[in-house]
Amino acid sequence: MSDRSILSDDKKSERDQIIEGLTRAYWMEIETVMSYIAASTNPDGVRAQEVIESLKQDITEELGHAQQFAERIKELYGQVPGSLAFKAEQDYLQPGPDATDLTGVIQGVIQAEQGAIDHYNRLIEVCDGVDYVTQDMVIGILKDEEGHLRLFEGFLKEFQPRT
Ligand SMILES: [Fe+2]
Ligand SMILES: [Fe+2]
């Protein structure tokens, strides 16, 4: 294996750093799947339907992201963790008492997407010059998250019209 490859023996510390970032990304996607299942099921009302439909589509995409992160962890000689290692962080996406409060849901989604965008930008930097395959994959996923963020920013405009 050439020394330039991320799979070479002397790139172990770089690999470990990237695997750490991929593992965090994996958990973020998994938690987002859980939060979006709840957020696409709980809301009531006519205005909720667009948001619900959009979140349902996102669930499939976020699950696909989780699978891509898992696959890359394995390719880098890492191990995908088991569920006992999971720690929830999305306190901003918990179901509230008012099932017609879509603004709270939309703001929670925006925060989740922003968190993912921040982490993936950092991961892209970590990969720079070291692991172009992971970098390329994360750039593709980042594009999806920016699309989600942009869509929900649009929803927020409608739910919170400027005065
Ligand atoms: Fe995602
Ligand atoms: Fe997303």
Side-chain angles (χ1 to χ4, degrees), residues 29 61-62 65 120 141 145 148:
E29 297 288 351
E61 278 195 39
E62 311 297 13
H65 294 161
Y120 300 168
I141 294 172
E145 311 302 10
H148 297 159

Side-chain angles (χ1 to χ4, degrees), residues 32 36 58 62 65 113 144-145 148:
T32 298
Y36 287 7
D58 285 356
E62 311 297 13
H65 294 161
E113 298 293 345
D144 291 344
E145 311 302 10
H148 297 159

Side-chain angles (χ1 to χ4, degrees), residues 12 26 30 38 43-44 53 56 63 79 87 104 113 150 154 162:
K12 184 169 185 327
Y26 171 75
I30 297 281
D44 285 323
E53 280 316 310
K56 280 182 178 166
L63 185 59
Q79 186 184 50
K87 273 178 69 186
E113 298 293 345
R150 186 63 192 85
R162 287 192 187 158

